[in-house]
Amino acid sequence: MAEEFGWGRLAYGMQLPVQSQSALFAEGWEAGAGPEDLVEIARVADRAGFAYLASCDHVAIPRRLADAMGTVWYDPVATLSYLAGVTEHVRLMSHVAIVGLRHPLLSAKQYATLDHLSGGRLILGVGAGHVAEEFEALGADFARRGRVLDDTVDALRAALGPDEFPEYEGEFFSFEGLGQRPRPAQRRVPIWVGGSSPAAVRRAAVRGDGWLPQGDPRDRLPDQIARLRRLRAEAGIDAPLTIGAITEPLYVGEPTWPVGRRTLSGKPAALAESLRAYAEMGVHQIQVRFRSRSRRELTDQMAAFGADVAPHIK
């Protein structure tokens, strides 16, 4: 895992389009897209050397948030399992699973099966969640979601381990004498913690195998990374931590349409030079998102990135 994600090279992955259609980032063409588009995008990612594909997690969006967030949110386990069958190499990540909405044994059953069926390609990204109505509808504890998530991560670490009959005793959850098979194909499923709040950064430092920031601009990342490393050292943890970043929107080449002032565009070498700055900060993997007007334009961008940009950032 350490060799795969950034220890010696800057890896790159992406959150899938179509499966999450927030008004904040979805492109217009995604509204009419479906399973066949996801399959083609996944296959291109597999060929273009992407380290992972990610799918987000929302159960139900309340009316007060529907205009901004949309209501199109595919289930991550179903989506990633579907794409596991049409890919060979790319890892499959929940970014992020709101695991506090579910009992950890239920999440363990779902994600262990996904890891088993995909031949060990799961990355379990987890986060606290922010939509109170989802928690209320499912009988989950929104007010204490941070503490519940801490306990859930510890419980999942046990439930996703090699033991057929895992044992755990925590603040909110406990289990023993309950067998679950199939076991994950990986001996240790990587758990990456999402979020940029002080609590999320601490959680990543002391409980995670990786950190998935949420919207940190470049100039904020060095301080966040320094805090992560300090907290991890203070906790006496010397295992590697895979540090991520979400880049600015990208467009490989010179666009002939307005791609937005924040979008990085231009020749592959110039894009690669800009992205290498993330590695210099201590980032191991970057999550990229391409501006596009169609599935074809997106897959062309992905292929161009893999062929012409990625060789210069490794």
Side-chain angles (χ1 to χ4, degrees):
M1 187 73 177
E3 293 76 12
E4 185 175 358
F5 285 99
W7 306 94
R9 71 184 187 94
L10 186 62
Y12 55 97
M14 65 179 284
Q15 179 135 184
L16 286 157
V18 183
Q19 56 81 33
S20 63
Q21 295 191 30
S22 168
L24 298 175
F25 51 73
E27 302 284 10
W29 65 268
E30 295 179 49
E36 67 280 2
D37 301 285
L38 284 170
V39 166
E40 181 59 23
I41 291 161
R43 285 172 169 160
V44 171
D46 215 28
R47 295 194 297 267
F50 281 70
Y52 64 79
L53 294 170
S55 180
C56 200
D57 181 24
H58 279 291
V59 173
I61 306 302
R63 289 188 185 275
R64 69 179 178 88
L65 296 175
D67 287 345
M69 292 182 64
T71 59
V72 178
W73 296 88
Y74 286 35
D75 178 77
V77 176
T79 304
L80 296 173
S81 297
Y82 179 68
L83 297 179
V86 298
T87 55
E88 296 180 1
H89 309 293
V90 67
R91 282 186 170 261
L92 307 159
M93 179 167 73
S94 56
H95 187 180
V96 287
I98 312 303
V99 290
L101 292 174
R102 308 165 182 92
H103 192 284
L105 282 180
L106 175 58
S107 294
K109 167 59 70 176
Q110 294 173 314
Y111 284 103
T113 303
L114 168 55
D115 194 64
H116 178 81
L117 291 173
S118 68
R121 290 191 278 149
L122 170 67
I123 301 169
L124 181 56
V126 302
H130 66 97
V131 180
E133 290 91 336
E134 284 186 304
F135 283 75
E136 293 165 4
L138 297 173
D141 191 338
F142 182 75
R144 295 189 295 176
R145 64 193 184 280
R147 285 169 56 190
V148 171
L149 177 56
D150 287 343
D151 200 38
T152 302
V153 170
D154 293 345
L156 283 169
R157 187 72 77 189
L160 290 171
D163 295 336
E164 179 181 354
F165 291 87
E167 296 184 6
Y168 180 73
E169 181 72 36
E171 181 179 4
F172 299 100
F173 304 106
S174 62
F175 44 83
E176 64 175 340
L178 296 169
Q180 286 190 330
R181 294 182 68 89
R183 303 308 303 155
Q186 299 177 87
R187 184 166 181 84
R188 181 183 176 92
V189 171
I191 298 177
W192 291 4
V193 176
S196 294
S197 69
V201 171
R202 174 175 290 278
R203 186 174 297 116
V206 303
R207 284 183 161 85
D209 301 302
W211 176 53
L212 297 164
Q214 186 63 43
D216 286 282
R218 289 193 191 208
D219 59 0
R220 192 180 174 207
L221 279 171
D223 286 345
Q224 292 278 63
I225 293 169
R227 182 166 181 267
L228 272 169
R229 289 173 172 164
R230 184 182 72 252
L231 290 169
R232 199 163 176 86
E234 290 172 355
I237 303 170
D238 57 10
L241 180 73
T242 301
I243 295 172
I246 299 176
T247 73
E248 302 84 350
L250 303 178
Y251 193 90
V252 183
E254 299 297 339
T256 59
W257 57 287
V259 294
R261 63 181 181 82
R262 289 189 61 250
T263 299
L264 299 178
S265 62
K267 294 181 179 179
L271 290 179
E273 181 179 5
S274 179
L275 295 174
R276 282 198 300 271
Y278 284 103
E280 293 165 4
M281 297 177 196
V283 170
H284 305 118
Q285 66 86 10
I286 52 174
Q287 186 171 123
V288 296
R289 187 175 189 94
F290 303 97
R291 295 302 318 276
S292 60
R293 295 164 294 178
S294 66
R295 184 190 83 187
R296 178 61 182 270
E297 186 168 29
L298 173 60
T299 53
D300 285 350
Q301 284 285 304
M302 293 168 62
F305 187 90
D308 302 326
V309 180
H312 300 291
I313 65 172
K314 294 180 179 179

